Amino acid sequence: MSTLLDIIKNYFENTPTDILKNDFNNREHLNDIGPDVIEYATSIREFLNNETIIAESGNVSVHELEISNYHTTEEIDTDSLYYLAA
C-alpha cells in the first residue's frame, strides 16, 4: 500500500503536462476563497505579537465566573451522554 506522498509523487511524475495544466485551471478559482498562506501567516503573526504585548504590559484582566449559584448536589451518571452536547 502506497503512502499519500508516493501517490502524489507518482501523479505528478506520470501525468502529462497538458492534463496537469487543465487540472490546475479547473481549480484555479479556489485560490480566490479566503486568504492565501502568506496573508494567513502574517495575520497570525500580528495577532500573536499583539497578544504578547498585552500580556507583557501587565494590563491583563481575569474574569472569573462565580459557580456556586450553579452548583448542584446531583451526580451525573458516568454513562450519561452530556458530552454529545459539546
Coordinates of all heavy atoms in Angstrom, one line a residue:
M1 N 0.8 -1.2 0.0 CA 0.0 0.0 0.0 C 0.9 1.2 0.0 O 1.8 1.4 0.8 CB -0.9 0.0 1.2 CG -1.9 1.1 1.3 SD -3.1 0.8 2.6 CE -4.0 2.2 2.5
S2 N 0.6 2.2 -0.9 CA 1.4 3.4 -1.0 C 1.0 4.4 -0.1 O -0.2 4.5 0.4 CB 1.2 3.9 -2.5 OG 1.7 3.0 -3.4
T3 N 1.9 5.3 0.3 CA 1.6 6.4 1.1 C 1.0 7.5 0.3 O 1.2 7.5 -1.0 CB 2.8 6.9 1.9 OG1 3.8 7.4 0.9 CG2 3.5 5.8 2.7
L4 N 0.4 8.5 0.9 CA -0.2 9.6 0.2 C 0.9 10.3 -0.6 O 0.7 10.8 -1.7 CB -0.9 10.6 1.2 CG -1.5 11.8 0.5 CD1 -2.6 11.4 -0.5 CD2 -2.2 12.7 1.6
L5 N 2.1 10.5 0.0 CA 3.2 11.2 -0.7 C 3.6 10.4 -1.9 O 3.8 11.0 -3.0 CB 4.4 11.3 0.3 CG 5.7 11.9 -0.3 CD1 5.4 13.3 -0.8 CD2 6.8 11.9 0.7
D6 N 3.7 9.1 -1.8 CA 4.0 8.3 -3.0 C 3.0 8.4 -4.1 O 3.3 8.5 -5.3 CB 4.1 6.8 -2.7 CG 5.3 6.5 -1.7 OD1 6.3 7.3 -1.8 OD2 5.2 5.5 -1.0
I7 N 1.7 8.5 -3.7 CA 0.6 8.6 -4.7 C 0.7 10.0 -5.4 O 0.6 10.1 -6.6 CB -0.7 8.5 -4.1 CG1 -0.9 7.0 -3.6 CG2 -1.9 8.8 -5.0 CD1 -2.1 6.8 -2.7
I8 N 1.0 11.1 -4.6 CA 1.1 12.4 -5.2 C 2.3 12.5 -6.1 O 2.3 13.0 -7.2 CB 1.1 13.5 -4.1 CG1 -0.2 13.5 -3.4 CG2 1.5 14.8 -4.6 CD1 -0.2 14.3 -2.1
K9 N 3.5 12.0 -5.7 CA 4.7 12.0 -6.5 C 4.4 11.2 -7.8 O 4.8 11.7 -8.9 CB 5.8 11.4 -5.7 CG 6.4 12.3 -4.7 CD 7.5 11.6 -3.8 CE 8.6 11.1 -4.6 NZ 9.7 10.6 -3.7
N10 N 3.8 10.1 -7.7 CA 3.5 9.3 -8.9 C 2.6 10.1 -9.9 O 2.8 10.1 -11.1 CB 2.9 8.0 -8.5 CG 2.6 7.1 -9.7 OD1 3.4 7.0 -10.6 ND2 1.5 6.4 -9.7
Y11 N 1.6 10.8 -9.3 CA 0.7 11.5 -10.1 C 1.5 12.6 -10.9 O 1.3 12.8 -12.1 CB -0.4 12.2 -9.3 CG -1.3 13.1 -10.0 CD1 -2.3 12.7 -10.9 CD2 -1.1 14.5 -9.9 CE1 -3.1 13.6 -11.5 CE2 -1.9 15.4 -10.5 CZ -2.9 14.9 -11.4 OH -3.7 15.8 -12.1
F12 N 2.3 13.4 -10.2 CA 3.0 14.5 -10.9 C 4.1 14.0 -11.8 O 4.4 14.6 -12.8 CB 3.6 15.5 -9.9 CG 2.5 16.4 -9.3 CD1 2.1 16.2 -8.0 CD2 2.0 17.4 -10.1 CE1 1.1 17.1 -7.5 CE2 1.0 18.2 -9.6 CZ 0.6 18.1 -8.3
E13 N 4.7 12.8 -11.5 CA 5.8 12.3 -12.4 C 5.2 11.6 -13.6 O 5.9 11.7 -14.7 CB 6.6 11.3 -11.6 CG 7.5 11.9 -10.5 CD 8.1 10.9 -9.6 OE1 7.8 9.7 -9.8 OE2 8.9 11.3 -8.8
N14 N 4.0 11.1 -13.6 CA 3.5 10.3 -14.7 C 2.3 10.9 -15.4 O 1.8 10.3 -16.4 CB 3.1 8.9 -14.2 CG 4.3 8.2 -13.6 OD1 5.4 8.2 -14.2 ND2 4.1 7.5 -12.5
T15 N 1.9 12.1 -15.0 CA 0.7 12.7 -15.7 C 1.3 13.7 -16.7 O 2.2 14.5 -16.4 CB -0.2 13.4 -14.7 OG1 -0.6 12.5 -13.7 CG2 -1.4 14.0 -15.3
P16 N 0.7 13.6 -17.9 CA 1.2 14.6 -19.0 C 0.9 16.1 -18.5 O 0.0 16.4 -17.8 CB 0.3 14.2 -20.2 CG -0.2 12.8 -19.9 CD -0.3 12.7 -18.4
T17 N 1.8 16.9 -19.0 CA 1.8 18.3 -18.6 C 0.4 19.0 -19.0 O -0.1 19.8 -18.2 CB 2.9 19.1 -19.3 OG1 4.1 18.4 -19.0 CG2 3.0 20.5 -18.9
D18 N -0.1 18.7 -20.2 CA -1.4 19.3 -20.6 C -2.5 19.0 -19.6 O -3.4 19.8 -19.3 CB -1.8 19.0 -22.0 CG -1.9 17.5 -22.3 OD1 -1.2 16.7 -21.6 OD2 -2.7 17.1 -23.2
I19 N -2.5 17.7 -19.1 CA -3.6 17.3 -18.1 C -3.3 18.1 -16.8 O -4.3 18.5 -16.1 CB -3.6 15.8 -17.9 CG1 -4.0 15.2 -19.2 CG2 -4.5 15.4 -16.7 CD1 -4.0 13.6 -19.2
L20 N -2.0 18.2 -16.4 CA -1.7 18.9 -15.1 C -2.2 20.4 -15.2 O -2.8 20.9 -14.3 CB -0.2 18.9 -14.8 CG 0.3 17.5 -14.4 CD1 1.8 17.6 -14.3 CD2 -0.3 17.0 -13.1
K21 N -1.9 21.0 -16.4 CA -2.4 22.4 -16.6 C -3.9 22.5 -16.6 O -4.4 23.4 -16.0 CB -1.8 22.9 -17.9 CG -0.3 23.2 -17.9 CD 0.2 23.8 -19.2 CE 1.7 24.0 -19.1 NZ 2.2 24.5 -20.4
N22 N -4.5 21.6 -17.2 CA -6.0 21.6 -17.2 C -6.6 21.4 -15.8 O -7.5 22.1 -15.4 CB -6.5 20.4 -18.2 CG -8.0 20.5 -18.4 OD1 -8.6 21.6 -18.4 ND2 -8.6 19.4 -18.5
D23 N -6.0 20.5 -15.0 CA -6.4 20.3 -13.7 C -6.2 21.6 -12.9 O -7.1 22.0 -12.1 CB -5.6 19.2 -13.0 CG -6.1 17.8 -13.5 OD1 -7.1 17.7 -14.2 OD2 -5.4 16.8 -13.2
F24 N -5.1 22.2 -13.1 CA -4.8 23.5 -12.3 C -5.8 24.6 -12.7 O -6.4 25.2 -11.9 CB -3.4 24.0 -12.6 CG -3.1 25.3 -12.0 CD1 -2.8 25.4 -10.7 CD2 -3.1 26.5 -12.8 CE1 -2.6 26.6 -10.1 CE2 -2.9 27.7 -12.2 CZ -2.6 27.8 -10.9
N25 N -6.1 24.7 -14.0 CA -7.0 25.7 -14.5 C -8.4 25.5 -14.0 O -9.2 26.4 -13.7 CB -7.0 25.8 -16.0 CG -5.7 26.4 -16.5 OD1 -5.0 27.1 -15.9 ND2 -5.3 26.0 -17.8
N26 N -8.8 24.2 -13.9 CA -10.2 23.9 -13.4 C -10.3 24.2 -11.9 O -11.5 24.4 -11.4 CB -10.5 22.4 -13.6 CG -10.7 22.1 -15.1 OD1 -11.1 23.0 -15.9 ND2 -10.6 20.9 -15.5
R27 N -9.2 24.3 -11.2 CA -9.3 24.5 -9.7 C -8.8 25.9 -9.3 O -8.7 26.3 -8.1 CB -8.5 23.4 -9.0 CG -9.2 22.1 -9.1 CD -8.3 21.0 -8.6 NE -8.9 19.7 -8.7 CZ -9.0 19.0 -9.8 NH1 -8.5 19.4 -11.0 NH2 -9.6 17.8 -9.9
E28 N -8.4 26.7 -10.3 CA -7.7 28.0 -10.0 C -8.7 28.9 -9.3 O -8.3 29.7 -8.4 CB -7.3 28.6 -11.3 CG -6.4 29.9 -11.1 CD -5.8 30.4 -12.4 OE1 -6.2 30.0 -13.4 OE2 -4.9 31.2 -12.2
H29 N -10.0 28.8 -9.5 CA -11.0 29.7 -8.8 C -11.0 29.5 -7.3 O -11.4 30.3 -6.5 CB -12.4 29.5 -9.4 CG -12.9 28.1 -9.0 ND1 -12.6 27.0 -9.7 CD2 -13.8 27.7 -8.1 CE1 -13.2 25.9 -9.2 NE2 -14.0 26.4 -8.2
L30 N -10.5 28.3 -6.9 CA -10.4 28.0 -5.4 C -9.4 28.9 -4.7 O -9.5 29.1 -3.5 CB -10.1 26.6 -5.2 CG -11.2 25.6 -5.7 CD1 -10.7 24.2 -5.5 CD2 -12.5 25.8 -5.0
N31 N -8.5 29.5 -5.5 CA -7.5 30.4 -4.9 C -8.1 31.7 -4.4 O -7.5 32.5 -3.7 CB -6.3 30.7 -5.8 CG -5.5 29.4 -6.0 OD1 -5.3 28.6 -5.2 ND2 -4.9 29.3 -7.2
D32 N -9.3 32.0 -4.9 CA -9.9 33.3 -4.5 C -10.8 33.2 -3.2 O -11.4 34.1 -2.8 CB -10.9 33.7 -5.7 CG -10.1 34.0 -6.9 OD1 -8.9 34.4 -6.8 OD2 -10.6 33.8 -8.0
I33 N -10.8 32.0 -2.6 CA -11.5 31.8 -1.4 C -10.6 32.0 -0.2 O -9.6 31.3 0.0 CB -12.1 30.4 -1.4 CG1 -13.0 30.2 -2.5 CG2 -12.8 30.1 0.0 CD1 -13.5 28.7 -2.7
G34 N -10.9 33.0 0.6 CA -10.2 33.3 1.8 C -8.8 33.8 1.6 O -8.4 34.0 0.4
P35 N -8.0 34.0 2.6 CA -6.7 34.5 2.5 C -5.7 33.4 2.0 O -6.0 32.2 2.2 CB -6.3 34.9 3.9 CG -7.1 34.0 4.8 CD -8.4 33.8 4.0
D36 N -4.7 33.8 1.3 CA -3.7 32.9 0.9 C -2.7 32.6 2.1 O -2.9 33.1 3.2 CB -2.9 33.3 -0.3 CG -2.0 34.6 -0.1 OD1 -1.8 35.0 1.1 OD2 -1.6 35.2 -1.0
V37 N -1.8 31.7 1.9 CA -1.0 31.2 3.0 C -0.2 32.4 3.6 O -0.1 32.5 4.9 CB 0.0 30.1 2.5 CG1 1.0 29.8 3.6 CG2 -0.8 28.9 2.1
I38 N 0.4 33.3 2.8 CA 1.2 34.4 3.3 C 0.3 35.3 4.1 O 0.7 35.8 5.2 CB 1.9 35.1 2.1 CG1 2.7 34.2 1.3 CG2 2.6 36.3 2.6 CD1 3.8 33.5 2.1
E39 N -0.9 35.7 3.6 CA -1.8 36.6 4.3 C -2.2 35.9 5.7 O -2.2 36.6 6.7 CB -3.1 36.8 3.5 CG -2.9 37.7 2.3 CD -4.1 37.8 1.5 OE1 -4.7 36.7 1.2 OE2 -4.5 38.9 1.1
Y40 N -2.5 34.6 5.7 CA -2.8 34.0 6.9 C -1.7 34.0 7.9 O -1.9 34.3 9.1 CB -3.3 32.5 6.6 CG -3.6 31.7 7.8 CD1 -4.8 32.0 8.5 CD2 -2.7 30.8 8.4 CE1 -5.1 31.2 9.7 CE2 -3.0 30.1 9.5 CZ -4.2 30.3 10.1 OH -4.5 29.6 11.3
A41 N -0.5 33.7 7.5 CA 0.7 33.6 8.4 C 0.9 35.0 8.9 O 1.2 35.2 10.1 CB 1.9 33.1 7.6
T42 N 0.8 36.1 8.1 CA 1.0 37.4 8.6 C 0.0 37.8 9.6 O 0.3 38.4 10.6 CB 0.9 38.4 7.4 OG1 1.9 38.0 6.4 CG2 1.2 39.8 7.8
S43 N -1.3 37.5 9.4 CA -2.3 37.8 10.4 C -2.1 37.1 11.7 O -2.3 37.7 12.8 CB -3.7 37.6 9.8 OG -3.9 36.2 9.6
I44 N -1.7 35.8 11.6 CA -1.4 35.1 12.9 C -0.3 35.7 13.6 O -0.3 35.8 14.8 CB -1.2 33.6 12.5 CG1 -2.5 32.9 12.0 CG2 -0.7 32.9 13.8 CD1 -3.6 33.0 13.0
R45 N 0.8 36.0 12.9 CA 2.0 36.6 13.5 C 1.6 37.9 14.2 O 2.0 38.2 15.3 CB 3.1 36.9 12.5 CG 4.3 37.5 13.1 CD 5.4 37.7 12.1 NE 5.8 36.4 11.5 CZ 5.9 36.2 10.1 NH1 5.6 37.2 9.3 NH2 6.3 35.1 9.7
E46 N 0.8 38.8 13.5 CA 0.4 40.1 14.1 C -0.5 39.8 15.3 O -0.3 40.5 16.4 CB -0.4 40.9 13.1 CG 0.5 41.5 12.0 CD -0.3 42.1 10.9 OE1 -1.6 42.2 11.0 OE2 0.3 42.6 9.9
F47 N -1.4 38.8 15.3 CA -2.2 38.5 16.4 C -1.4 38.1 17.6 O -1.6 38.5 18.7 CB -3.2 37.4 16.0 CG -4.0 36.9 17.2 CD1 -5.1 37.6 17.7 CD2 -3.7 35.7 17.8 CE1 -5.8 37.2 18.8 CE2 -4.4 35.2 18.9 CZ -5.5 36.0 19.4
L48 N -0.4 37.2 17.4 CA 0.4 36.7 18.4 C 1.3 37.8 19.0 O 1.5 37.8 20.2 CB 1.2 35.5 18.0 CG 0.4 34.2 17.7 CD1 1.4 33.1 17.1 CD2 -0.3 33.7 18.9
N49 N 1.8 38.7 18.2 CA 2.6 39.8 18.7 C 1.7 40.7 19.5 O 2.2 41.2 20.6 CB 3.2 40.6 17.5 CG 4.4 39.8 16.9 OD1 5.0 39.0 17.5 ND2 4.7 40.2 15.6
N50 N 0.5 41.0 19.1 CA -0.4 41.8 19.9 C -0.7 41.2 21.3 O -0.7 41.8 22.3 CB -1.7 42.2 19.2 CG -1.4 43.1 18.0 OD1 -0.4 43.8 18.0 ND2 -2.3 43.1 17.0
E51 N -1.0 39.9 21.2 CA -1.3 39.2 22.5 C -0.1 39.2 23.4 O -0.2 39.4 24.6 CB -1.7 37.7 22.2 CG -3.0 37.6 21.6 CD -4.1 38.1 22.4 OE1 -4.2 37.6 23.6 OE2 -5.0 38.9 22.0
T52 N 1.1 39.1 22.9 CA 2.3 39.1 23.7 C 2.5 40.5 24.3 O 2.8 40.6 25.5 CB 3.6 38.8 22.8 OG1 3.4 37.5 22.3 CG2 4.8 38.8 23.7
I53 N 2.3 41.5 23.5 CA 2.4 42.9 24.0 C 1.4 43.1 25.2 O 1.8 43.7 26.2 CB 2.2 43.9 22.9 CG1 3.4 43.8 21.9 CG2 2.1 45.3 23.4 CD1 3.2 44.6 20.6
I54 N 0.2 42.7 25.0 CA -0.8 42.9 26.0 C -0.4 42.1 27.3 O -0.5 42.6 28.4 CB -2.2 42.4 25.5 CG1 -2.7 43.4 24.4 CG2 -3.2 42.4 26.7 CD1 -3.9 43.0 23.7
A55 N 0.0 40.9 27.1 CA 0.4 40.1 28.3 C 1.6 40.6 29.0 O 1.6 40.7 30.3 CB 0.7 38.6 27.9
E56 N 2.6 41.2 28.3 CA 3.7 41.7 28.9 C 3.5 43.1 29.6 O 4.2 43.5 30.4 CB 4.9 41.9 27.9 CG 5.4 40.5 27.4 CD 6.5 40.6 26.3 OE1 6.6 41.8 25.8 OE2 7.1 39.6 26.0
S57 N 2.4 43.8 29.1 CA 2.2 45.1 29.7 C 1.6 45.0 31.1 O 1.6 46.0 31.8 CB 1.2 45.9 28.8 OG -0.1 45.3 28.8
G58 N 1.1 43.9 31.5 CA 0.5 43.7 32.8 C -0.9 44.2 32.9 O -1.5 44.2 34.0
N59 N -1.5 44.6 31.8 CA -2.9 45.0 31.7 C -3.8 43.9 31.4 O -4.8 44.1 30.8 CB -3.0 46.1 30.7 CG -2.3 47.4 31.1 OD1 -2.1 47.7 32.2 ND2 -1.8 48.1 30.1
V60 N -3.5 42.7 31.9 CA -4.4 41.6 31.6 C -5.4 41.5 32.8 O -5.0 41.4 34.0 CB -3.5 40.3 31.5 CG1 -4.4 39.1 31.3 CG2 -2.5 40.4 30.4
S61 N -6.6 41.4 32.5 CA -7.6 41.3 33.5 C -8.2 39.9 33.4 O -8.3 39.3 32.4 CB -8.8 42.3 33.3 OG -9.4 42.1 32.1
V62 N -8.5 39.3 34.6 CA -9.1 38.0 34.6 C -10.5 38.1 35.0 O -10.9 38.8 36.0 CB -8.3 37.2 35.7 CG1 -8.9 35.8 35.8 CG2 -6.8 37.1 35.3
H63 N -11.4 37.5 34.3 CA -12.8 37.4 34.5 C -13.1 36.1 35.1 O -12.9 35.1 34.5 CB -13.6 37.7 33.3 CG -13.3 39.0 32.7 ND1 -13.8 40.2 33.1 CD2 -12.5 39.3 31.6 CE1 -13.4 41.2 32.4 NE2 -12.6 40.7 31.5
E64 N -13.7 36.1 36.3 CA -14.0 34.9 37.0 C -15.5 34.7 37.1 O -16.2 35.7 37.3 CB -13.4 34.8 38.4 CG -11.9 34.8 38.4 CD -11.3 34.7 39.8 OE1 -12.1 34.5 40.8 OE2 -10.1 34.9 39.9
L65 N -16.0 33.5 36.9 CA -17.4 33.2 37.0 C -17.7 32.5 38.3 O -17.0 31.5 38.6 CB -17.8 32.3 35.8 CG -19.2 31.8 35.8 CD1 -20.2 33.0 35.7 CD2 -19.5 30.8 34.7
E66 N -18.5 33.1 39.1 CA -18.9 32.5 40.3 C -19.8 31.3 40.1 O -20.9 31.5 39.5 CB -19.6 33.5 41.2 CG -20.0 33.0 42.6 CD -18.8 32.5 43.4 OE1 -17.8 33.2 43.5 OE2 -18.9 31.4 43.9
I67 N -19.4 30.1 40.4 CA -20.2 29.0 40.0 C -21.0 28.4 41.2 O -21.7 27.4 41.0 CB -19.3 27.9 39.4 CG1 -18.2 27.4 40.4 CG2 -18.7 28.3 38.1 CD1 -17.5 26.2 40.0
S68 N -20.9 29.0 42.3 CA -21.6 28.5 43.5 C -23.1 28.5 43.3 O -23.8 27.6 43.8 CB -21.2 29.3 44.8 OG -21.6 30.6 44.6
N69 N -23.6 29.5 42.5 CA -25.0 29.5 42.2 C -25.5 28.4 41.3 O -26.6 28.0 41.2 CB -25.4 30.9 41.5 CG -25.1 32.0 42.5 OD1 -25.1 31.8 43.7 ND2 -24.9 33.2 41.9
Y70 N -24.5 27.8 40.5 CA -24.8 26.8 39.6 C -24.5 25.4 40.1 O -24.8 24.4 39.4 CB -24.1 27.0 38.3 CG -24.3 28.4 37.7 CD1 -23.3 29.4 37.8 CD2 -25.5 28.7 37.0 CE1 -23.6 30.7 37.3 CE2 -25.7 30.0 36.5 CZ -24.7 30.9 36.6 OH -25.0 32.2 36.1
H71 N -24.0 25.3 41.2 CA -23.6 24.0 41.8 C -24.8 23.2 42.2 O -25.8 23.7 42.7 CB -22.7 24.3 43.0 CG -22.2 23.0 43.6 ND1 -21.4 22.1 43.0 CD2 -22.5 22.4 44.8 CE1 -21.2 21.1 43.8 NE2 -21.8 21.2 44.9
T72 N -24.7 22.0 41.9 CA -25.8 21.1 42.3 C -25.3 19.9 43.0 O -24.1 19.5 42.8 CB -26.6 20.6 41.0 OG1 -27.7 19.8 41.4 CG2 -25.7 20.0 40.0
T73 N -26.1 19.3 43.8 CA -25.6 18.1 44.6 C -25.9 16.8 43.8 O -25.5 15.8 44.2 CB -26.2 18.0 45.9 OG1 -27.7 18.1 45.8 CG2 -25.8 19.2 46.8
E74 N -26.7 17.0 42.7 CA -27.0 15.8 41.9 C -25.8 15.3 41.2 O -25.0 16.1 40.6 CB -28.1 16.1 40.9 CG -29.4 16.5 41.6 CD -30.4 16.9 40.5 OE1 -30.3 16.6 39.3 OE2 -31.4 17.6 40.9
E75 N -25.6 14.0 41.1 CA -24.4 13.5 40.4 C -24.8 13.2 39.0 O -26.0 12.9 38.7 CB -24.0 12.2 41.1 CG -23.4 12.4 42.5 CD -22.8 11.2 43.1 OE1 -22.7 10.2 42.4 OE2 -22.6 11.2 44.3
I76 N -23.8 13.2 38.1 CA -24.0 12.9 36.7 C -23.6 11.4 36.5 O -22.5 11.1 36.9 CB -23.3 13.8 35.8 CG1 -23.8 15.2 36.0 CG2 -23.4 13.4 34.3 CD1 -23.0 16.3 35.2
D77 N -24.4 10.6 35.9 CA -24.1 9.2 35.7 C -22.9 9.1 34.8 O -22.7 9.9 33.9 CB -25.2 8.5 35.0 CG -26.4 8.3 36.0 OD1 -26.2 8.3 37.2 OD2 -27.5 8.2 35.5
T78 N -22.0 8.2 35.0 CA -20.8 8.0 34.2 C -21.1 7.6 32.8 O -20.3 7.8 31.9 CB -19.9 7.0 34.8 OG1 -20.6 5.7 35.0 CG2 -19.4 7.4 36.2
D79 N -22.3 7.0 32.6 CA -22.7 6.6 31.2 C -23.6 7.7 30.5 O -24.2 7.4 29.6 CB -23.3 5.3 31.2 CG -24.6 5.2 32.0 OD1 -24.9 6.1 32.8 OD2 -25.3 4.2 31.8
S80 N -23.7 8.9 31.1 CA -24.5 9.9 30.5 C -24.0 10.4 29.2 O -22.8 10.2 28.9 CB -24.7 11.1 31.5 OG -23.4 11.7 31.6
L81 N -24.8 11.0 28.4 CA -24.5 11.4 27.0 C -24.3 12.9 27.0 O -24.4 13.5 25.9 CB -25.5 10.9 26.0 CG -25.7 9.4 26.0 CD1 -26.8 9.1 25.0 CD2 -24.5 8.7 25.6
Y82 N -24.0 13.6 28.1 CA -23.8 15.0 28.1 C -22.7 15.5 27.2 O -22.7 16.6 26.7 CB -23.6 15.6 29.5 CG -24.8 15.5 30.4 CD1 -24.8 14.7 31.5 CD2 -25.9 16.3 30.1 CE1 -26.0 14.7 32.3 CE2 -27.0 16.3 30.9 CZ -27.1 15.5 32.0 OH -28.2 15.4 32.8
Y83 N -21.7 14.7 27.0 CA -20.6 15.0 26.1 C -21.1 15.3 24.7 O -20.4 16.0 23.9 CB -19.5 14.0 26.1 CG -19.9 12.7 25.5 CD1 -19.6 12.5 24.2 CD2 -20.5 11.7 26.2 CE1 -20.0 11.3 23.6 CE2 -20.9 10.5 25.6 CZ -20.6 10.3 24.3 OH -21.0 9.1 23.7
L84 N -22.2 14.7 24.3 CA -22.7 14.9 22.9 C -23.2 16.3 22.7 O -23.3 16.8 21.6 CB -23.9 13.9 22.6 CG -23.5 12.5 22.6 CD1 -24.7 11.6 22.4 CD2 -22.5 12.2 21.5
A85 N -23.5 17.1 23.8 CA -24.0 18.4 23.7 C -22.9 19.4 23.2 O -23.1 20.4 22.6 CB -24.5 18.9 25.0
A86 N -21.6 19.0 23.5 CA -20.5 19.8 23.1 C -20.4 19.7 21.6 O -20.0 20.6 20.9 CB -19.2 19.3 23.7

